[in-house]
Amino acid sequence: MKKKNKEKKPLSFAAREQIAGYAFLSPWIIGFLIFTLYPVLFSIAMSFCAVKITGTGIDLSWKGLEYYKQALTIDPWFNINLGEMVFFIACFTPVIIVLSLIIAVLLNNKFRGRSMFRAIYFLPVIIMSGPVISSLLTKKTFVFSDAIPGVYDFLNSLPDTLASPATYILDNLTLILWFSGIQILIFLAGLQKINPNLYEAASIDGAGTWEKFWKITLPHMKGLAIICTVYTIVDLTNYTESSVNKRITSFIFDGGGKIYSFSAAMSWVVFVCVMLILGIVCLTFFLFGREKKK
Amino acid sequence: MKVNKNIVKKQLLGSNEKMGLLPKIFLYGLLIAIGFVYLQPVIYMIVNSLLSPEELTDPTVGWVPRSIYFGNYIKAFDTLDFMKSFGNSLLMSVGPALLQTASAAFVGFGLARFRIKFKPFWFVMIVSTFLIPDQIIKIPRYVMYYSYGLVETMWSTYLPATFGQGLKSAIFILIFYQFFASYPKALDEAAQIDGCNKFQIFYKIALPTASPAIILSIVTSLVLYWNETSQASMFLGEKFATLPVQLGIFADRYSALYGDDKVLNELTRLNESVTLAGTLLSMLPVLVLYLIVQRKFIQSVEMTGIAGE
């Protein structure tokens, strides 16, 4: 008997650790099951079924892929909106990442008025909300074609595959900058963590600012760049003013007999697209990382 | 002569210790240029919200208004039903922000300080909640809340926040995880020898050291909840319409209050200035909050290392 107890004791300590750990995790697990997992499964079910709200509850009757077919082949706008969203993400994300890294590096310098500039650059994080943006963007934002017309003439002379993303980016420069608040924050926090001794050692070895940026700053930012990219893509997907999200929302309540289901099907198509984009991005980062090691 | 040249060069291009004049001009120029593109809509908004209807239609009035006119703000104030919406906004952002921070800290502590099984699995799940877009969750949640009578009650926002499923909760959990993983285990052990249980360790030792993470989490969550409109307009309805939600239906509210376009003339119609005044009013409270906590906020960002290693 005594021996058994002795054997049990270390085990029970580990078990207690497990119990305590899971006790701390339990609110999240409960919330995850109720507020995330169940809605996700329910949403999948709804996208395959016709939904009818009756007095006692909700009736689902199996419809198969009908709503997906409707979204992809019959609905005149969804494909176009989806294409717009992919174009929007593909154009915005790289520009946001590069710009926010540049701004973070600029802000990381020591100069007078630094805190004021920081306050300005984080402003979008504070005031970003759907209605605010839409009311701001329909008004006069900074228009590049007015300021520097020459740039436009040059861009329009390029082949269309190059010209249309470039003009799109320039037209929406304010929006791009306004989407990069959090990313600047992340990069800035990362820059602060680089050991200053590294820069000092590099300067003693004769490296200039430019070389220091490429050889020290950039390699340190690689991990953060992945995080920022994922964040940006998710953030852009959730942008309430994008045409595809507006289309999805517009069908939630008056779907003409296909309440919820049609929206749910469209949401899942969007989700799959975004996951594909994320997959491609992560793969590219992965491949790039390997090449450098060789 | 040669020495002089070197001094000039040093002044212009800078040395290792001091930034030179040229890089400085370049830096400031770039920052101001980007800052201008950033702020231009906001400045435009402030200026135009102060224009009277006569001045707005007058093409000779450019960036500087001739007189300051506050009529737009009075109209926008009434259209937004400001005091009530402001109260709703406070209720729907302060509460959830505190609850979200508390739950994120709790869960983050659990992940950081205990050697639990399946930890990587839970990490993947937490990150996955961040990836799932809003639109997918929104509809089923609505149906769920509807069947339990939670629509148009504040529980529809408070409950997910309490259970770690609020807006972008995953980020805050990861921030707290990082923070709690970084202090020495010996502190916990010392407390345990002194008779603390795990929960006491959490709120007596871990939490007080985490104040940067707490500030960051509360401020960011508050702003997220303040600006959130798609879930708020769906779950809370008119009863709890927050300022941004009211702004989303500004034109409708205006015509309900002052009559539609047929009744109103050129001067009383809803114009750009009133909309802009409304926009400004709806973001004024968070703007003020930001200006107050700005310095602390940025410090906490640097101290928490928001992004992880």
Side-chain angles (χ1 to χ4, degrees):
Chain A
M1 278 299 274
K2 262 188 181 175
K3 217 182 181 183
K4 253 187 188 173
N5 264 339
K6 262 185 188 170
E7 270 174 6
K8 257 187 181 173
K9 254 193 178 169
L11 238 176
S12 78
F13 178 76
R16 250 191 286 160
E17 175 113 349
Q18 294 292 326
I19 292 167
Y22 273 100
F24 276 98
L25 218 60
S26 60
W28 187 86
I29 295 174
I30 295 168
F32 176 70
L33 293 177
I34 299 174
F35 294 107
T36 303
L37 191 64
Y38 170 72
V40 165
L41 296 177
F42 194 35
S43 168
I44 296 177
M46 282 201 300
S47 70
F48 288 110
C49 297
V51 179
K52 216 177 209 173
I53 294 185
T54 56
T56 49
I58 303 145
D59 265 355
L60 298 175
S61 57
W62 183 256
K63 286 278 179 175
L65 286 171
E66 199 189 303
Y67 295 114
Y68 288 92
K69 265 186 207 152
Q70 218 162 13
L72 289 170
T73 56
I74 299 171
D75 190 79
W77 286 105
F78 182 68
N79 279 323
I80 299 169
N81 292 342
L82 192 65
E84 279 170 1
M85 191 198 73
V86 173
F87 186 66
F88 170 71
I89 291 177
C91 285
F92 270 37
T93 313
V95 184
I96 289 176
I97 299 300
V98 173
L99 267 183
S100 50
L101 181 60
I102 292 173
I103 294 173
V105 169
L106 289 179
L107 285 178
N108 198 37
N109 282 309
K110 284 198 178 73
F111 57 90
R112 214 171 283 165
R114 181 164 88 142
S115 50
M116 191 196 76
F117 276 110
R118 282 187 183 190
I120 291 174
Y121 286 103
F122 297 143
L123 205 61
V125 183
I126 306 302
I127 53 180
M128 277 286 262
S129 76
V132 169
I133 296 174
S134 65
S135 110
L136 279 181
L137 290 183
T138 49
K139 307 297 177 297
K140 216 166 66 188
T141 52
F142 185 71
V143 182
F144 242 92
S145 50
D146 296 348
I148 321 166
V151 173
Y152 261 75
D153 297 339
F154 168 72
L155 284 177
N156 283 327
S157 65
L158 291 172
D160 198 47
T161 40
L162 271 175
S164 64
T167 46
Y168 184 67
I169 288 166
L170 282 183
D171 281 337
N172 292 296
L173 199 65
T174 314
L175 190 59
I176 289 179
L177 282 171
W178 282 49
F179 266 115
S180 38
I182 295 271
Q183 290 83 335
I184 296 174
L185 220 73
I186 293 175
F187 278 130
L188 199 59
L191 288 173
Q192 303 266 328
K193 290 227 159 127
I194 301 178
N195 191 346
N197 293 342
L198 275 177
Y199 288 108
E200 213 168 290
S203 339
I204 290 167
D205 286 345
T209 320
W210 188 247
E211 280 153 325
K212 278 189 257 174
F213 175 76
W214 286 101
K215 295 274 159 70
I216 300 174
T217 313
L218 217 53
H220 273 93
M221 291 297 112
K222 214 188 100 194
L224 294 185
I226 300 174
I227 294 173
C228 281
T229 313
V230 173
Y231 178 87
T232 310
I233 292 173
V234 173
D235 202 30
L236 291 177
T237 318
N238 283 333
Y239 178 42
T240 43
E241 299 301 309
S242 71
S243 54
V244 78
N245 284 347
K246 277 186 171 169
R247 184 118 191 112
I248 290 172
T249 323
S250 71
F251 275 102
I252 288 179
F253 288 112
D254 50 18
K258 45 189 178 188
I259 338 166
Y260 307 135
S261 304
F262 193 45
S263 294
M266 288 198 282
S267 313
W268 280 105
V269 174
V270 171
F271 179 67
V272 169
C273 281
V274 174
M275 283 300 120
L276 280 178
I277 297 175
L278 276 179
I280 292 168
V281 167
C282 289
L283 204 69
T284 345
F285 269 109
F286 180 67
L287 291 175
F288 261 100
R290 270 172 83 197
E291 263 172 42
K292 267 187 185 164
K293 267 179 193 165
K294 275 175 192 173
Chain B
M1 268 321 262
K2 229 180 179 181
V3 181
N4 258 346
K5 231 181 196 172
N6 265 338
I7 290 171
V8 171
K9 202 178 160 194
K10 227 175 193 177
Q11 281 286 329
L12 282 180
L13 296 175
S15 57
N16 280 333
E17 302 88 48
K18 242 189 102 187
M19 210 190 274
L21 200 61
L22 284 180
K24 223 174 209 172
I25 292 172
F26 179 70
L27 176 70
Y28 276 113
L30 214 54
L31 281 174
I32 290 169
I34 301 173
F36 173 73
V37 180
Y38 247 93
L39 281 187
Q40 196 263 356
V42 181
I43 299 167
Y44 175 83
M45 185 161 68
I46 294 170
V47 170
N48 277 43
S49 68
L50 292 169
L51 292 179
S52 64
E54 294 90 355
E55 271 185 302
L56 187 68
T57 46
D58 186 350
T60 57
V61 177
W63 274 94
V64 186
R66 289 199 191 114
S67 60
I68 290 176
Y69 174 75
F70 283 107
N72 302 320
Y73 282 91
I74 295 165
K75 273 187 193 164
F77 193 88
D78 290 337
T79 310
L80 286 174
D81 195 358
F82 188 84
M83 287 328 280
K84 191 176 164 241
S85 310
F86 178 62
N88 286 339
S89 274
L90 274 187
L91 186 68
M92 285 308 153
S93 56
V94 176
L98 293 175
L99 287 171
Q100 164 143 306
T101 304
S103 68
F106 200 70
V107 175
F109 182 80
L111 281 170
R113 304 307 286 189
F114 299 98
R115 259 181 258 106
I116 54 168
K117 280 175 191 163
F118 313 118
K119 204 189 265 186
F121 170 75
W122 293 117
F123 266 112
V124 171
M125 286 296 116
I126 287 171
V127 173
S128 77
T129 60
F130 176 69
L131 297 180
I132 295 166
D134 219 26
Q135 305 90 304
I136 285 177
I137 304 264
K138 208 164 67 172
I139 310 159
R141 270 195 191 174
Y142 180 81
V143 176
M144 189 169 79
Y145 293 149
Y146 186 82
S147 51
Y148 289 101
L150 293 176
V151 173
E152 295 196 16
T153 65
M154 57 185 220
W155 298 114
S156 57
T157 309
Y158 275 55
L159 280 178
T162 315
F163 288 99
Q165 309 294 322
L167 297 173
K168 301 197 173 155
S169 268
I171 294 180
F172 302 110
I173 293 175
L174 293 180
I175 289 174
F176 276 109
Y177 164 76
Q178 246 229 307
F179 211 88
F180 289 142
S182 65
Y183 78 91
K185 194 120 201 172
L187 268 177
D188 281 9
E189 281 157 8
Q192 210 152 13
I193 291 165
D194 285 347
C196 279
N197 61 32
K198 303 281 184 203
F199 187 70
Q200 282 168 327
I201 293 175
F202 169 64
Y203 78 88
K204 281 192 175 151
I205 292 173
L207 267 191
T209 59
S211 61
I214 293 172
I215 292 171
L216 181 73
S217 172
I218 289 180
V219 173
T220 319
S221 311
L222 200 142
V223 168
L224 278 173
Y225 273 102
W226 185 281
N227 288 333
E228 210 281 330
T229 51
S230 79
Q231 289 196 23
S233 60
M234 206 168 170
F235 298 157
L236 299 173
E238 274 201 16
K239 208 169 138 199
F240 286 105
T242 59
L243 279 172
V245 170
Q246 300 280 42
L247 187 68
I249 49 169
F250 196 76
D252 297 338
R253 290 189 58 88
Y254 188 87
S255 50
L257 203 62
Y258 295 100
D260 54 14
D261 280 358
K262 287 169 207 153
V263 190
L264 300 171
N265 61 33
E266 192 111 321
L267 293 180
T268 50
R269 197 172 291 161
L270 175 63
N271 57 33
E272 203 185 4
S273 301
V274 182
T275 319
L276 288 176
T279 311
L280 211 63
L281 277 180
S282 81
M283 59 193 216
L284 196 65
V286 268
L287 214 59
V288 171
L289 172 84
Y290 176 62
L291 290 179
I292 296 168
V293 299
Q294 177 256 115
R295 199 163 284 245
K296 258 229 147 86
F297 177 71
I298 291 166
Q299 272 173 6
S300 351
V301 170
E302 282 164 3
M303 284 169 83
T304 41
I306 191 171
E309 256 71 69

